[in-house]
Amino acid sequence: MEKQKRKLGLVPKLIIGIILGILLGQPFVPEVICRLVVTASSLFSLFLKFVIPLMILAYVTMGIADLSQGAGKLLLVTAGLAYASTLIAGSCSYLVSSTLFPSFMSADALEQIAETAGNSLSPYLTIAINPILDTLAAVLLAFILGLCMSSMRGKQIGNSLYNGFHDFSAIIDKVLHVAIVPLLPLYICGTFVDMTRSGKTFVILGILWKVFLVVIIMHLICITVQFCIAGAVSHKNPLKLIRNQIPGYTTALGTQSSAATIPVNLQCAQADGVSSEIRNFVVPLCANIHMAGSMITITACATAVCLMNQIPISLATVVPFIATLGIAMIASPGAPGGSIMTALPFLYMIFGTELGDPEGPICAIMVALYITQDSFGTACNVSGDNAIGVIVDTIYKKWIKK
C-alpha cells in the first residue's frame, strides 16, 4: 500500500507566512518584491471583505434558523455574554494599566513613535470592490431572517427560503475551503512584510516593549479565565479547550481580523464539541460583537497615551467610554485595525474635545500603538468567541433543547 502524503497543516503554513513576511520586509530585500507581496495580499483582502458579509449572512441566518427552540433566548444570552465580557475586560485593563504603566513611561516616547507614521508600503494595484452589504447590515438581516424562519417555518411559511439559505451556506462553505483558507498564509505574509518594512512594530516595541508585554499578558490571562469559566460551566477540561483554540489563535495573529478567522474558528469550536447549530450561530455572531481583546488593547493604549501627555484619566471617564465603544465596535473587526478606527470618534471621551480630534496627533499615536498590538487583541477576541460558544452550547443542551 502506498503511504498517504502528509499535508502541511494550517498552523505551520501560518507560521511560515509570518517568518517569510519578516524576512521579506528586511531592508536588503528590493522594494519591488515587498510591494508585489503587499499587492497580492491587498487584493486578497478586498476579496475577503466582499465575502465576509455573505459569510455572516449565511452562517448566522442558518445558525438561528436551525434553533427551532429558544432562538430569541440564545441570541439574548450570547449578546449579553459578549457585551459583559467586553466591559469587564476593558475595566480590568484600565486598572492594571493605571497601576503599572507610570513606573516605566517616558515623556519623549510620542515623538519617537510619530517618526514611523506614513512609512507603509502601497500596493501597485488597487481595485474598488464594494461588498453587497456592510457587516452591520449583514448581521441585522441575518437576525431578522433567522429569527423569522425559526419561528414561522412549517407554520406560517414553507421551507423554500430555508432550503435556499441552506444551499447558499453550502456555497459559502465551498468558497471558504477552496479559496479563502488556502490563501490566508499569503494574506498574513503581506501583513508582516508591510509592518516589518515600515518599522512600526520594531520602533514601537523598542520604546514601549513593557506596555506591549503587559497587554499581551492581559490578553493571555483573559483567554485563560474565559476558558476556565467555560470549562466549569460545561464540565470540560479548560486546558484541552485552550489547546483546541491554537489554530484559531494563530490565524488571528496573522490576519488581524476576527471575521477572517471565522472558518478556522468554526473548526476549533467543532473540536470543543460544540454542536453544529450553536457553533454556526455563535462563532460568526461573536466575531462581530465580542471585542474583549480589542477593548483591552484600546484601553491600555489610551491609558499609556494619557500618562505620556499628563492627561487626567480615571475609572469614571473610562467606564462610559468602554460601555459606548462596546456597542460602537459591533461589526468593526472585518479588517485589520477596524476596532481602533471605530474608536477614534469616541476618544474625546478620554482625551477631551481638543486632544481627542480624530485627525490630531494624539489619535494618530493611538492608531500606531494599537495596530502594533492588534494581532494579539484579535486573537484574544476569537478565543473568547469559542469560550462563549461552549457556554451557550451547554445552556442550549441543558435548559432550552428538550
Side-chain angles (χ1 to χ4, degrees):
M1 294 178 66
E2 293 185 6
K3 292 183 178 180
Q4 290 184 344
K5 293 182 179 180
R6 289 187 177 181
K7 293 184 177 180
L8 197 62
L10 179 61
V11 173
K13 289 179 181 178
L14 296 174
I15 294 173
I16 291 172
I18 292 171
I19 295 172
L20 280 177
I22 294 173
L23 292 176
L24 291 173
Q26 299 301 317
F28 58 81
V29 177
E31 184 174 316
V32 62
I33 295 177
C34 298
R35 291 186 65 187
L36 283 173
V37 176
V38 170
T39 299
S41 179
S42 66
L43 290 175
F44 174 75
S45 177
L46 289 171
F47 174 65
L48 186 63
K49 290 175 185 177
F50 180 83
V51 174
I52 283 170
L54 303 180
M55 183 193 314
I56 294 169
L57 183 61
Y59 287 159
V60 175
T61 299
M62 287 306 300
I64 298 175
D66 283 336
L67 297 173
S68 57
Q69 297 174 343
K73 294 178 182 178
L74 284 176
L75 177 59
L76 185 62
V77 168
T78 303
L81 287 172
Y83 190 60
S85 173
T86 302
L87 292 180
I88 293 171
S91 301
C92 291
S93 176
Y94 166 73
L95 294 174
V96 173
S97 301
S98 60
T99 302
L100 297 180
F101 288 0
S103 62
F104 49 75
M105 188 63 60
S106 60
D108 62 341
L110 273 175
E111 184 179 344
Q112 298 178 55
I113 295 171
E115 294 178 1
T116 64
N119 293 337
S120 295
L121 292 170
S122 57
Y124 284 116
L125 176 66
T126 56
I127 302 174
I129 303 178
N130 296 320
I132 296 174
L133 293 169
D134 61 42
T135 50
L136 187 57
V139 170
L140 181 58
L141 181 57
F143 283 173
I144 295 171
L145 292 174
L147 288 171
C148 289
M149 279 194 284
S150 176
S151 61
M152 298 173 66
R153 184 163 57 97
K155 301 172 184 176
Q156 295 158 287
I157 61 173
N159 293 318
S160 299
L161 184 59
Y162 175 86
N163 292 334
F165 265 91
H166 185 274
D167 291 343
F168 176 55
S169 181
I171 292 171
I172 296 299
D173 256 340
K174 189 72 172 178
V175 173
L176 294 178
H177 289 95
V178 172
I180 291 180
V181 173
L183 290 176
L184 280 177
L186 170 64
Y187 184 27
I188 291 171
C189 181
T191 301
F192 275 85
V193 166
D194 182 48
M195 289 181 66
T196 305
R197 192 76 173 199
S198 66
K200 289 186 180 70
T201 300
F202 298 108
V203 171
I204 296 174
L205 183 58
I207 299 168
L208 297 174
W209 64 271
K210 292 181 182 179
V211 173
F212 191 86
L213 183 61
V214 169
V215 171
I216 293 175
I217 291 173
M218 285 195 287
H219 289 155
L220 295 177
I221 292 174
C222 180
I223 293 170
T224 302
V225 170
Q226 287 173 332
F227 276 113
C228 284
I229 294 173
V233 171
S234 63
H235 302 292
K236 293 180 180 179
N237 186 346
L239 293 178
K240 184 177 179 182
L241 296 176
I242 292 173
R243 187 169 63 248
N244 291 340
Q245 188 57 40
I246 291 176
Y249 186 91
T250 310
T251 302
L253 282 180
T255 62
Q256 296 180 280
S257 170
S258 296
T261 313
I262 289 174
V264 180
N265 226 26
L266 286 169
Q267 297 173 9
C268 297
Q270 184 176 7
D272 290 338
V274 179
S275 58
S276 60
E277 60 264 41
I278 295 298
R279 65 175 182 264
N280 286 337
F281 159 59
V282 172
V283 171
L285 175 59
C286 283
N288 291 276
I289 67 173
H290 183 228
M291 301 284 108
S294 296
M295 191 65 78
I296 287 173
T297 306
I298 290 174
T299 305
C301 290
T303 304
V305 170
C306 284
L307 291 172
M308 284 189 287
N309 290 272
Q310 291 81 46
I311 300 173
I313 184 171
S314 66
L315 193 61
T317 59
V318 169
V319 170
F321 171 74
I322 294 172
T324 303
L325 199 56
I327 298 173
M329 284 196 304
I330 289 177
S332 67
S339 295
I340 188 61
M341 300 312 295
T342 304
L344 288 181
F346 303 98
L347 289 177
Y348 75 91
M349 299 175 71
I350 291 181
F351 300 140
T353 305
E354 184 176 348
L355 294 177
D357 179 9
E359 301 298 325
I362 297 294
C363 290
I365 297 304
M366 271 291 298
V367 173
L369 282 171
Y370 180 89
I371 291 296
T372 308
Q373 303 171 70
D374 187 29
S375 297
F376 295 94
T378 302
C380 181
N381 289 340
V382 301
S383 299
D385 295 349
N386 273 337
I388 291 175
V390 171
I391 295 173
V392 173
D393 187 56
T394 303
I395 293 173
Y396 177 61
K397 289 175 180 177
K398 286 186 176 181
W399 291 292
I400 296 180
K401 187 177 181 180
K402 297 178 181 179

